[in-house]
Amino acid sequence: MSKALMPTTGVSLAGESTRTWNDVEVDPITLRVIGGALQSMAKEMAQVLYRMAYSSLIRESEDLGAGIFDINGRELCESDSTPMHCGSIPAYIKGVNRRLAGTYKPGDVVLHNHPYHGAAHSPDYGVIIPIFWQGEHIGFAGCTGHVSDVGGNFPGLCMDVVDVWAEGKLMDSMKIYEAGVRNDYLIQHILDNVRTPEQNRGDLEALIACSRIGEKRFTELLEKYGLDTVMSAGERWMDYSESMLRKKIREIPDGSYTAPIGYLDDDGKNRGEPLKVAVRVQVEGEDILIDLTGSNSQVPTAFNVPFEGSVLPVAVSAIRTILLDEDLTEEFVPQNDGCFRPVKAYAPEGTIFNPDFPASCFARFSQVNRVFDSINLALAPVLPDHAIAGSSAALCAIAYSGIAPDGESYWVYIEINEGSYGGRNGKDGMDAVDALMANTRNNPIEELELNHAMRALRYELRDEAPAPGKWRGGIGSVRKWLMETDTFLGSEADNRSDPPAGALGGHNGVSGSFTRNAGTDREEVLYSKVTQETIRSGETLEIKLPSGGGFGNPYERDPFQVLSDVWDEYLTDDDARRDYGVVVNTDSWTVDEDATAELRARSAA
Amino acid sequence: MGPKTSKYIENLAGKAKAAQVGEDVHLMTSAGGLVTSRSASEIPVSLLTSGVVAGLLGGCAIGKASGFPSVITLDVGGTSADVGVAPDGVLRMKHLLDTRIGDYHAMVPMAEVDTIGAGGGSIAVVDDGGMFRVGPGSAGAVPGPACYGHGGTEPTSTDAMVMMGWLREKSFLSGTMEVKPELAREAIQTHIADKLDTPLDDAAMGIFKILAHSMTEAISLHSVRKGYDPRDFSLIAEGGAGPLFAWQIADQLGIPRVIVPGHPGITSAVGLLTTDIRYEEPTTVWTSSADPNIELLQEQIERLSALAVAQLEKDGVAAEHISLERSVDCRYVGQGYELRVAAPDGDVDDVWVKTVAEAFHDVHGRTYSQRFDDKPVQLINVRVTGVGAVPHVQIADIAVGTADSSGAIKTTTQALFWQDETSAPQWVDTPVYERSLLLANNEIDGPAIVEQFDSTTIIGMNQHATVDAVGHIIIERNPA
């Protein structure tokens, strides 16, 4: 497959604006009302999806996206769920359009997951429904969700696979409904080739229901206001989001900002060979380029990233999150095509961020999350109030699987383990939450124990002290699971060799680890990326997630806050003295003010 | 919070007892039942959001008194609006995972009510991107709307309604508080009309319509989008500002009628007096309709029933006043999110399980527009609620008159109204009615304004109203 080389000035997710309607004036009230309606329909779509879904990734972790798009895939609205999904659907639509444009009929439902044609990665099924108005195709309702298994070499997740066909079954723009007629044979074929057919069937129904509700709501809006008014209002809202984002970009001084080079542990096969992540943020007027030149060459495993479906969404998401932080901005700026316009990304062909077909790119999250982290670190010196120190910028996904008691079917359980955030100017990093792009919820222990042959022995904050800083890093989580049956293990994680970076004088964070049978004589540390490891019945797995980096000089931290961390047993009095220059009187458990002042003065000198 | 609340309740109950006010203080829970002071101070978390739930219950009682049991309640105050939906006057409960207060999971039974940042104090702005927004920012009571003259300069929805002539200078709290329309006018001119380059009248109408629309969205999210048809409901206008908005919202959603209770400002208090003592006892059973554990279900329901009865007996409720309600949280095997259905009385058998499963298919179909009748249903939790009946408040009839309502007109004023959603606003001579002079059977043609101490009611163009036997104003759209 040949492709045109990407310009080094980068490309964006913004769609082409070929109009199929008449641009009309929309009065401010109607504009506001249509804007509200678009937002709430995207929200409703997401709710339907996660409540109906079977995959725990969709329903517990909210690993999904949903929205309404014009015929070119320009985004009119999208649910604010997992940032990684925000903005990936336009690329799905581009991929689908390349095969199906001109052939859509009312009642079509299209299933797509091809990572070289817009999919975020192959387990993220996309369901796209064309919307018709008065006999004419005028847009799409679409959604994506992470299903449990896509029938690749390994159950659930994969790392050490040879190419894109080995990672899972590919579906490229397939009409599972044509003109309202369901293609049962095709659906049967799809489900016959995955390990979790019942779950995938339920998820597929949920994805279809989600897009259908979007189609319905959007059509209702058209019935009320007419195509011209609705689409013209959509245009205004896209322009609005664009102008709000551009205004914020103008506030950043022009320049080229480079993050410290980050290193990913390895590619899951060639152990001990770290992979380079180079991120440069170029700010010019009201435009931003995320330049990944200098990042590692593509790897022979699944540890590559689809450019369109994953690199571009992360670039947009990082900039939008940093600049339009809802806590700092008064106005809510809706997610739509306008947010894509000022942000471009570039990655040279043949690198992990823009691999050549047919390299596998199943496991892409840790790399893109590191890009997000690096964008933060690059901008920290010029945006100290917006950027944060390094977070647990990977994804710690573990796929547990095995043969079900009936001896014929598989059980697959994918769990996302949560790390923590880096410190930020004015606040400590958040403890035990998933960071940056991975805005996923944790799965309750009860859910785990009820559904799987696993038991929770431990689930809490890590014992190790958090990374010192004026605002300390967040504390990662630790889990210890006991397997009650022989279990296969696949993982996609990172942050072993290169822990979260401190910012502006804060210390680096703490690395993560996977340990089999921790605390016994059979203790064994596993790599961050494993393929088909086995944990026998009765054995345990301890999972530690990284603690985020500190922000600012720890010697400037309020001594009372240090004391408070000692009270909470996050720190010992020795930690307080050594890392923060705070002397704690261990009789009264108060700060020894004089000794602290003296110690801090001495070290400042 | 917990210990403080417990202490407060104990003090309150102690003082009430000392003052010989009734037998005990009862409190409303977030599930819409009453508990005794003892139980409330043991589990103070159960009281969260109870005021809002009381508003919904009050709305149910008002709907019932007017003969319309299916209600949507809209309680609008200064900073927020509460929205509740009760088909057939029955509260719907939230899934436990949705019982959030801010970012915290409360994990206690809570009735489904939603609160949005839209009220009389909601501030209108034209933001830096040129977008016209109203709320969720609020001017609160201080400085309050610009027209209060307490230093507020930003226009609020109250200012818009003062400017439109709906709220008259001397109509606030029966004239005990005077407002300054010129300040409202100035605020809207400077902050909205000038910035949007639009006529002042349109700007004022816009503030109202945008805010009304955010309430419409909230109601829609809880009705249409949960599978309920608003045409089967009545909209109960509650709170000081509810009756100002309800006429427009009913029109937008196709709700056939608005019911304005006699005293909209105290609907929550009415709600407190219309419910019973309720204790909900849940347990997890985890069994499937394909292979139900009948014995387990029977045993657990008996155990929970005994627990609920014991709680009520502890509160001194006599046996003849005790009844039990059952429900089951269900999902399809493999799903992770349950829906609650009512369960039949009597012994558990295959028919019982089938009835529950059938009810679940229905609810799933209504909620997500899909049902899978061939899939087994998982019964996750069973709940038994013990209900201890206590005397309820009665909404009394008012004096009877004829269709002629002219006796209640106190004046006529110039007010801004519009024919329908797309038409321009116009100033019209509008009669102003005194609520206390209205009699049963009175009829009012819109546009009209009805004033009373705690509220003002608007009846739009193309609408008319009748006063029913209990004094509720029923607003309906004129037939086309």
Side-chain angles (χ1 to χ4, degrees), chain A residues 184-406:
Chain A
D184 280 313
Y185 288 112
L186 178 56
I187 292 173
Q188 194 56 52
H189 174 72
I190 292 165
L191 298 174
D192 281 346
N193 282 286
V194 299
R195 293 178 183 82
T196 52
E198 273 313 301
Q199 282 199 27
N200 287 32
R201 183 193 304 277
D203 289 335
L204 196 56
E205 298 297 348
L207 287 160
I208 295 169
C210 165
S211 284
R212 282 205 172 132
I213 206 87
E215 178 197 17
K216 185 160 178 253
R217 297 288 178 242
F218 193 70
T219 308
E220 285 166 4
L221 201 63
L222 294 175
E223 277 163 8
K224 198 159 177 194
Y225 297 99
L227 178 68
D228 292 346
T229 302
V230 170
M231 296 307 271
S232 301
E235 290 279 358
R236 302 293 176 280
W237 276 105
M238 291 190 262
D239 292 346
Y240 172 79
S241 291
E242 178 183 4
S243 75
M244 295 303 272
L245 189 54
R246 288 198 185 278
K247 210 175 68 176
K248 295 286 177 189
I249 297 173
R250 281 200 300 273
E251 290 169 11
I252 313 173
D254 279 5
S256 171
Y257 306 103
T258 308
I261 298 281
Y263 289 94
L264 301 160
D265 298 339
D266 59 42
D267 65 8
K269 182 179 189 176
N270 302 294
R271 303 299 187 187
E273 291 180 26
L275 313 175
K276 219 167 136 183
V277 177
V279 178
R280 186 178 70 90
V281 182
Q282 184 181 307
V283 182
E284 232 180 305
E286 47 180 43
D287 288 280
I288 281 189
L289 170 70
I290 307 295
D291 181 4
L292 304 177
T293 306
S295 296
N296 220 83
S297 302
Q298 70 183 69
V299 295
T301 62
F303 204 54
N304 296 297
V305 187
F307 182 82
E308 267 201 313
S310 283
V311 171
L312 283 176
V314 84
V316 170
S317 191
I319 295 303
R320 177 173 180 242
T321 309
I322 294 170
L323 295 181
L324 295 177
D325 184 337
E326 277 172 40
D327 215 40
L328 299 174
T329 334
E330 221 170 278
E331 300 87 7
F332 172 75
V333 177
Q335 167 74 37
N336 59 38
D337 188 78
C339 300
F340 304 151
R341 297 173 187 166
V343 183
K344 288 182 173 167
Y346 171 71
E349 284 76 7
T351 59
I352 45 170
F353 294 112
N354 190 4
D356 291 327
F357 182 80
S360 172
C361 37
F362 187 103
R364 89 302 187 200
F365 212 112
S366 293
Q367 306 90 306
V368 290
N369 220 8
R370 183 58 84 91
V371 170
F372 195 132
D373 200 52
S374 294
I375 292 173
N376 241 313
L377 292 167
L379 291 174
V382 278
L383 292 175
D385 292 333
H386 289 255
I388 61 175
S391 302
S392 57
L395 177 78
C396 184
I398 303 181
Y400 304 89
S401 61
I403 308 293
D406 65 9

Side-chain angles (χ1 to χ4, degrees), chain A residues 93-162:
Chain A
I93 292 176
K94 250 189 245 171
V96 169
N97 266 344
R98 116 195 171 280
R99 271 200 166 164
L100 299 180
T103 75
Y104 299 112
K105 298 186 200 89
D108 283 354
V109 177
V110 183
L111 179 63
H112 185 76
N113 79 337
H114 201 300
Y116 283 88
H117 298 295
H121 65 161
S122 57
D124 284 355
Y125 278 13
V127 166
I128 312 290
I129 290 182
I131 304 176
F132 281 78
W133 174 246
Q134 295 176 343
E136 211 179 317
H137 176 216
I138 52 95
F140 295 97
C143 59
T144 54
H146 192 147
V147 298
S148 299
D149 185 80
V150 281
N153 267 12
F154 303 105
L157 298 177
C158 69
M159 191 55 73
D160 187 4
V161 291
V162 60

Side-chain angles (χ1 to χ4, degrees), chain A residues 25-57:
Chain A
E25 273 294 312
V26 185
D27 72 84
I29 304 167
T30 308
L31 182 57
R32 176 71 239 173
V33 167
I34 291 176
L38 287 172
Q39 256 167 262
S40 65
M41 77 177 68
K43 202 173 176 182
E44 184 188 2
M45 289 174 76
Q47 273 187 5
V48 164
L49 182 48
Y50 79 72
R51 300 222 163 152
M52 265 184 79
Y54 284 65
S55 149
S56 65
L57 281 168

Side-chain angles (χ1 to χ4, degrees), chain B residues 125-335:
Chain B
V125 290
V126 176
D127 72 23
D128 293 348
M131 230 20 114
F132 189 2
R133 300 175 181 272
V134 189
S138 171
V142 183
C147 64
Y148 282 14
H150 295 160
T153 56
E154 292 173 302
T156 63
S157 70
T158 298
D159 291 306
M161 290 187 281
V162 166
M163 212 216 86
M164 293 192 292
W166 299 358
L167 295 172
R168 299 184 309 134
E169 270 167 80
K170 303 207 167 175
S171 64
F172 280 76
L173 303 175
S174 293
T176 52
M177 174 182 167
E178 208 162 311
V179 296
K180 302 186 175 66
E182 66 280 7
L183 292 178
R185 188 177 293 270
E186 191 189 316
I188 297 169
Q189 182 72 51
T190 322
H191 291 272
I192 309 294
D194 288 353
K195 285 190 185 165
L196 290 174
D197 193 20
T198 187
L200 183 59
D201 293 353
D202 291 53
M205 174 179 75
I207 294 174
F208 172 77
K209 275 192 175 176
I210 288 173
L211 201 59
H213 207 272
S214 58
M215 297 177 197
T216 304
E217 283 288 339
I219 292 175
S220 171
L221 209 63
H222 287 268
S223 56
V224 188
R225 299 172 183 200
K226 295 264 162 95
Y228 296 99
D229 188 339
R231 286 173 298 187
D232 301 334
F233 288 79
S234 300
L235 183 64
I236 313 292
E238 305 176 6
L244 289 161
F245 286 95
W247 68 277
Q248 168 90 26
I249 289 162
D251 213 44
Q252 281 177 353
L253 282 169
I255 302 173
R257 76 192 64 76
V258 173
I259 303 177
V260 186
H263 300 284
I266 57 161
T267 317
S268 300
V270 172
L272 292 174
L273 300 174
T274 60
T275 188
D276 299 309
I277 301 179
R278 297 174 72 90
Y279 289 103
E280 184 183 290
E281 303 291 346
T283 195
T284 300
V285 285
W286 205 262
T287 184
S288 162
S289 66
D291 179 24
N293 188 338
I294 305 267
E295 216 167 281
L296 171 78
L297 285 165
Q298 178 69 33
E299 181 189 300
Q300 289 303 328
I301 286 179
E302 279 171 16
R303 184 177 68 83
L304 298 176
S305 302
L307 274 175
V309 169
Q311 279 281 7
L312 291 166
E313 283 172 347
K314 215 158 138 191
D315 285 344
V317 180
E320 67 266 29
H321 293 139
I322 293 177
S323 61
L324 297 171
E325 293 170 4
R326 299 171 179 180
S327 64
V328 189
D329 298 339
C330 302
R331 64 195 197 193
Y332 288 118
V333 175
Q335 280 184 325

